[in-house]
């Protein structure tokens, strides 16, 4: 048994078995969701020969009733009958809901065990995270072979409760724990590290059987779940919304490429306090901070680099040797680096559109480099405030078209994928410059980029800033040069895929006259790597710059910082420059109680031998370098890409 069990849900028995055969080639640990079929018996009757022919597969059978979050509409008694048939057909483990066990008493468990399967008693809460110790105690009355505890994390600290339970029970080696929802994502990756026997994954994007489920390929190849151990360092990107972020793809790729024993997760939170709770409780070594936390986090840091303190925003946290948190701003380098390579900055006339966090980084950094910076913002008062703080000017909209700039920077969210406001901060006539720098990176080709290209203006894309700021974070955290080419390659690939998936479907045959237009759209200009890095090969940028010297931010002096002393640090030291702790040098503060990375299972004797003989799942064959992890497709498209959608079933599964 591996760390990842893939849930197989389909619309027909044949589709389910075909899909299972396909998935088992990569991950031979499967959950058959019998409840997804109108007649579960159609698949249980064929499971015997299916599993007999594929002895490497470990199989779980689940037939969850509707009342408990599944799709099965029969009675508890009927559920047991399907599960018993599945057990007799060779399924090694049977998922039995606590509600069914309570309704039918110990009889249900006995029937399943007599049919030859181990019982995994399951608890699900689709709304919240209740008292998990009480849940465990409720389940323990049945002495199940395995416990499956799946609450919903509404906040990041909810996920901590689940991980704590796993850690507490890991000695027993028979608990599977996952928190559903986007705040529970960390438990899907870290669960096994904290003692969960395994975790559940979907077969592909669009085939999720529970909220927040990640694909098996993403868990295996991007998060390298099979290599996560006590010494693996944990990093993440914190903010909200965060599910669209390309940072996990980019940074995990870099970790993998440079063989850094670390994993980078999406920390979905809009609350600094929740973030700090997680950072305090888990051995987290660094965090990328994004909207809306960049400014809010400052008072809680022990020190920041001078630029973050002046700008009043920080996007990178590092846990120092003393266990305290230090802040850096790598957005600045991400803006200045690409500009410096193309434009002599001293005396350059720069127009910055926007007055938010990204604009602040641009304005402060460019004023410091002796640029003549003008700010134009939708809300003029914010532009005035920023201009005053940074020593820049405010420009009125009616003056913009009459002024020639060396550089125009779009630091507004106009054009960003998902942004609702469609009013452009600048028209084609008003764009009068030598270089246009678009900070929005998703999509690659924004409306303003299209205008600039049409006018023959040199374009700098947001993806270049994105990779640069991420590369600098990687260097701060690891002390190693960042593999920028590879980081850029995977993000470009993912963004292109996303753009392709967002296009309307190909026109039907009858609309043949429209076909060339559709093809044209599909091949909309999208940059090559050399276009994104025209002036300087990424390898050159791979030399890490020295860390800026942190200074105490004014806010930190005034505000008593929340206690974030990490359990990772054994001995507090006086505050000093925030050097990342050298990888794998220190023991983690919270060593796991679990004894191994591949928890062994306590099984009933009858089943033990059969399961023990199963091979471990083969490690992922395809490297992420050759096949980047797919970006989430809309459910419908993913299903359609696999097979024509059967009439009966809706594409997106509820559970
Ligand atoms: P923010 O703090 O929310 O600021 C957004 C700014 O955009 C505000 O000044 C806002 O004006 C202005 N704005 C929004 N929609 C506008 C519109 N339709 N017309 C004119 N102005 C508009 O956001 P942020 O953190 O600065 O980020 C801004 C953009 O930069 C985002 O798209 C973000 O994705 C991008 N960014 C990219 C990178 C990268 O690595 N490439 C890094 C950081 C940020 P008001 O003041 O009137 O509200």
């Amino acid at each position: 048994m591996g760390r990842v069990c893939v849930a197989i849900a389909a619309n027909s028995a044949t589709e389910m078995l075909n899909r299972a055969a396909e998935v088992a080639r990569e991950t031979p640990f499967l959950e058959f969701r019998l409840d997804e079929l109108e007649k579960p018996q159609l698949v249980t009757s064929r499971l015997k020969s299916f599993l007999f022919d594929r002895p490497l597969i470990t199989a779980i059978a689940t037939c969850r009733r509707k009342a408990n979050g599944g799709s099965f509409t029969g009675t508890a008694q009927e559920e047991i009958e399907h599960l018993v048939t599945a057990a007799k057909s060779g399924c090694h483990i049977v998922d039995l809901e606590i509600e069914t066990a309570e309704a039918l008493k110990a009889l249900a468990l006995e029937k399943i065990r007599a049919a030859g399967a181990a019982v995994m008693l399951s608890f699900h809460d689709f709304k919240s995270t209740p008292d998990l110790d009480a849940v465990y105690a409720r389940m323990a009355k049945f002495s199940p072979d395995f416990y499956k505890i799946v609450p919903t994390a509404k906040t990041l600290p909810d996920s901590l409760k689940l991980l704590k339970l796993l850690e507490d029970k890991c000695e027993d080696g028979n608990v599977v724990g996952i928190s559903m929802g986007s705040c529970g994502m960390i438990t899907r990756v870290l669960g096994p590290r904290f003692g969960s026997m395994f975790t559940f994954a979907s077969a592909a994007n669009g085939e999720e059987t529970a909220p927040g489920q990640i694909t098996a390929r993403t868990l295996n190849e991007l998060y390298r779940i099979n290599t996560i151990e006590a010494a693996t360092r944990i990093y993440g990107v914190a903010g909200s919304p965060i599910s669209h972020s390309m940072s996990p793809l980019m940074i995990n790729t870099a970790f993998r490429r440079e063989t850094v024993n670390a994993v980078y997760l999406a920390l979905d939170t809009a609350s600094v306090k929740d973030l700090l709770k997680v950072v305090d409780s888990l051995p987290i070594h660094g965090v990328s901070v994004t909207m809306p936390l960049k400014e809010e986090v400052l008072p809680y840091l022990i020190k920041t680099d001078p630029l973050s303190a002046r700008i009043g925003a920080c996007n990178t946290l590092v846990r120092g040797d003393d266990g305290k948190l230090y802040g850096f701003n790598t957005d600045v380098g991400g803006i200045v680096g690409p500009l410096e390579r193309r434009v002599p900055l001293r005396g350059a006339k720069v127009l910055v559109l926007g007055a938010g966090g990204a604009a602040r980084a641009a304005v402060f950094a460019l004023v410091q480099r002796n640029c003549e910076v003008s700010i134009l913002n939708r809300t003029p008062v914010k532009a005035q405030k920023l201009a005053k703080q940074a020593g820049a000017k405010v420009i009125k909209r009616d003056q913009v078209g009459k002024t020639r700039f060396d550089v125009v920077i779009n630091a507004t969210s106009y054009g960003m994928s998902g942004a609702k406001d469609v009013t452009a901060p600048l028209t084609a006539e008003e764009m009068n410059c030598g270089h246009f720098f678009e900070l929005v990176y998703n999509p690659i080709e924004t409306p303003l980029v299209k205008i600039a290209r049409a006018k023959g203006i040199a374009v700098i894309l947001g993806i270049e800033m994105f990779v640069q700021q991420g590369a600098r974070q990687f260097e701060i955290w690891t002390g190693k040069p960042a593999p920028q080419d590879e980081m850029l390659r995977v993000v470009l690939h993912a963004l292109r895929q996303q753009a392709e998936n967002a296009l309307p479907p190909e026109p039907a045959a009858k609309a043949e006259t429209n076909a060339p237009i559709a093809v044209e759209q599909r091949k909309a200009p999208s940059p090559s790597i050399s276009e994104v890095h025209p002036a300087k090969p990424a390898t050159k940028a791979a030399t890490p710059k020295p860390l800026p010297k942190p200074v105490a931010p004014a806010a930190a002096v005034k505000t008593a910082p929340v206690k974030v002393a990490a359990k990772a640090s054994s001995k507090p030291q006086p505050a000093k420059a925030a050097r990342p702790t050298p990888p794998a040098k220190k023991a983690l503060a919270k060593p796991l109680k679990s004894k191994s990375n591949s928890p062994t299972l306590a099984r009933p004797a009858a089943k033990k031998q059969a399961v023990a003989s199963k091979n471990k799942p083969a490690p992922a064959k395809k490297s992420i370098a050759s096949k980047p992890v797919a970006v989430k497709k809309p459910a419908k498209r993913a299903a359609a890409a696999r097979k024509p959608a059967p009439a009966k079933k809706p594409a997106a599964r509820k559970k």
Side-chain angles (χ1 to χ4, degrees):
M1 239 162 70
R3 283 186 166 191
V4 178
C5 175
V6 184
I8 307 289
N11 303 302
S12 70
T14 303
E15 199 191 322
M16 183 172 276
L17 293 177
N18 286 344
R19 193 72 182 121
E22 231 168 73
V23 171
R25 277 184 222 126
E26 275 190 33
T27 313
F29 185 13
L30 307 176
E31 180 194 30
F32 290 88
R33 288 299 301 258
L34 308 181
D35 54 310
E36 291 286 327
L37 298 170
E38 207 174 336
K39 292 183 180 162
Q41 61 272 29
L42 292 182
V43 79
T44 46
S45 59
R46 291 166 63 184
L47 264 178
K48 194 168 190 168
S49 64
F50 179 88
L51 292 174
F52 183 82
D53 291 345
R54 294 167 183 79
L56 294 186
I57 292 179
T58 302
I60 300 178
T62 299
C63 191
R64 202 171 325 293
R65 279 181 294 137
K66 220 164 185 166
N68 304 324
S71 300
F72 185 59
T73 50
T75 63
Q77 193 57 52
E78 284 164 341
E79 176 193 341
I80 296 291
E81 278 161 26
H82 290 307
L83 293 176
V84 165
T85 313
K88 285 182 179 161
S89 303
C91 284
H92 309 90
I93 303 172
V94 155
D95 177 316
L96 182 70
E97 304 140 36
I98 177 78
E99 293 83 357
T100 304
E102 283 172 342
L104 302 181
K105 308 279 186 271
L107 186 71
L109 278 78
E110 279 161 27
K111 271 189 169 179
I112 291 166
R113 284 187 181 134
V119 175
M120 182 164 69
L121 197 61
S122 67
F123 166 87
H124 292 80
D125 186 328
F126 288 85
K127 291 201 177 109
S128 62
T129 299
D131 177 347
L132 296 179
D133 287 323
V135 167
Y136 185 88
R138 178 180 160 199
M139 298 171 89
K141 287 180 197 152
F142 291 90
S143 305
D145 304 308
F146 308 119
Y147 296 74
K148 180 185 174 193
I149 301 180
V150 187
T152 295
K154 289 292 195 196
T155 62
L156 277 184
D158 279 348
S159 282
L160 290 180
K161 290 183 198 163
L162 192 274
L163 292 177
K164 183 168 180 314
L165 178 91
L166 289 173
E167 199 177 43
D168 288 348
K169 306 292 178 201
C170 71
E171 299 273 312
D172 304 340
N174 65 349
V175 180
V176 177
I178 292 167
S179 293
M180 291 186 282
S182 64
C183 293
M185 180 269 172
I186 60 172
T187 67
R188 293 192 178 273
V189 179
L190 297 180
R193 181 201 185 282
F194 281 82
S196 183
M197 281 162 52
F198 55 86
T199 189
F200 284 89
S202 64
N205 284 318
E207 294 180 44
E208 297 80 9
T209 59
Q213 213 170 50
I214 304 172
T215 69
R217 179 167 284 176
T218 304
L219 279 175
N220 285 323
E221 296 188 8
L222 187 64
Y223 294 107
R224 296 181 292 162
I225 192 166
N226 287 306
T227 66
I228 296 177
E229 37 151 17
T232 303
R233 294 190 160 210
I234 303 170
Y235 297 87
V237 54
S240 185
I242 207 69
S243 55
H244 69 285
S245 173
M246 294 276 166
S247 293
L249 171 66
M250 179 170 73
I251 301 288
N252 281 313
T253 299
F255 284 155
R256 180 180 180 129
R257 178 73 176 213
E258 296 303 310
T259 53
V260 178
N261 185 7
V263 65
Y264 183 97
L265 308 166
L267 306 168
D268 188 347
T269 184
S271 153
V272 176
K273 296 222 162 116
D274 281 359
L275 171 63
L276 294 176
K277 249 184 227 165
V278 169
V279 170
D280 192 29
S281 307
L282 297 179
I284 288 185
H285 281 82
V287 179
S288 311
V289 181
T290 185
M291 277 162 58
L293 303 172
K294 281 184 185 179
E295 292 160 45
E296 237 183 289
V297 77
L298 273 184
Y300 300 98
L301 307 179
I302 191 80
K303 278 187 181 176
T304 63
D305 63 321
L307 217 44
S308 298
R310 282 187 55 212
I311 295 168
C314 123
N315 75 330
T316 310
L317 307 186
V318 183
R319 198 201 286 279
D321 286 341
D322 55 4
K324 298 205 165 76
L325 287 178
Y326 295 80
F328 295 88
N329 193 315
T330 68
D331 280 342
V332 169
I335 294 169
V336 173
L339 278 175
E340 268 176 345
R341 283 200 282 271
R342 292 155 167 112
V343 184
L345 287 181
R346 177 173 281 274
K349 285 182 76 159
V350 182
L351 170 65
V352 175
L353 305 173
R360 288 186 76 81
V363 171
F364 273 96
L366 294 174
V367 166
Q368 203 184 40
R369 277 156 183 81
N370 300 306
C371 295
E372 196 188 302
V373 181
S374 303
I375 307 169
L376 175 68
N377 191 43
R378 185 174 57 182
T379 312
V381 66
K382 285 196 207 164
Q384 282 153 9
K385 195 173 161 203
L386 173 56
K388 199 170 163 199
Q389 286 171 339
K393 293 192 292 192
V394 170
I395 188 166
K396 291 207 168 114
R397 180 85 186 242
D398 59 9
Q399 293 304 305
V400 169
K402 298 174 194 160
T403 315
R404 167 96 188 156
F405 293 95
D406 295 305
V407 180
V408 171
I409 301 177
N410 178 35
T412 76
S413 38
Y414 171 74
M416 188 173 81
S417 161
K420 290 191 183 85
D421 197 331
V422 289
T423 319
L426 206 66
T427 62
E429 295 72 43
E430 290 168 326
M431 197 183 283
N432 181 13
C433 56
H435 282 80
F436 173 68
F437 191 172
E438 173 63 277
L439 299 195
V440 173
Y441 74 88
N442 188 3
I444 303 171
E445 295 287 320
T446 66
L448 291 178
V449 165
K450 284 179 187 159
I451 289 176
R453 286 198 199 283
K455 291 187 80 166
I457 294 168
V459 168
I460 309 172
L461 292 168
I463 193 175
E464 189 170 341
M465 172 188 176
F466 181 65
V467 172
Q468 290 253 316
Q469 59 82 32
R472 187 81 185 106
Q473 291 182 328
F474 177 92
E475 289 165 1
I476 288 172
W477 291 330
T478 66
K480 288 182 170 207
Q484 286 198 41
D485 278 352
E486 184 64 1
M487 292 161 79
L488 176 61
R489 196 185 69 74
V490 289
V491 178
L492 258 182
H493 179 91
L495 287 171
R496 282 175 177 156
Q497 248 189 357
Q498 208 174 64
E500 208 167 289
N501 291 342
L503 282 176
E506 296 281 4
K510 98 177 192 325
E512 228 165 351
T513 46
N514 288 336
I517 298 167
V519 171
E520 188 101 312
Q521 279 176 340
R522 232 159 249 287
K523 292 188 177 159
S526 83
S528 63
I529 292 181
S530 58
E531 193 184 349
V532 173
H533 269 306
K536 187 178 176 192
T539 43
K540 203 177 163 202
T543 314
K545 292 180 206 142
L547 291 172
K549 206 173 169 215
V551 297
V557 176
K558 285 190 216 122
T559 321
V562 158
K563 196 168 166 278
V564 287
K567 291 180 182 138
S569 91
S570 48
K571 190 166 61 165
Q573 294 167 6
K576 58 176 182 177
R579 298 255 158 218
T581 43
K585 217 169 137 186
K586 277 176 74 168
L588 291 171
K590 285 196 107 187
L592 290 175
K593 285 189 235 152
S594 63
K595 50 270 149 199
S596 78
N597 300 328
S598 351
T600 48
L601 308 181
R603 292 169 179 283
K607 225 43 220 168
K608 223 172 197 170
Q609 208 182 347
V611 180
S613 69
K614 302 230 163 271
N615 287 4
K616 285 188 186 125
K621 275 179 212 133
K622 285 171 206 145
S623 91
I624 194 154
S626 62
K627 185 145 191 174
V629 171
V631 188
K632 245 187 183 327
K633 289 180 193 168
K636 261 192 213 150
R637 293 186 66 88
R642 210 177 77 247
K643 230 161 246 183
K648 183 176 87 63
K649 206 90 185 176
R653 294 176 197 291
K654 182 172 68 62
K655 167 69 192 79

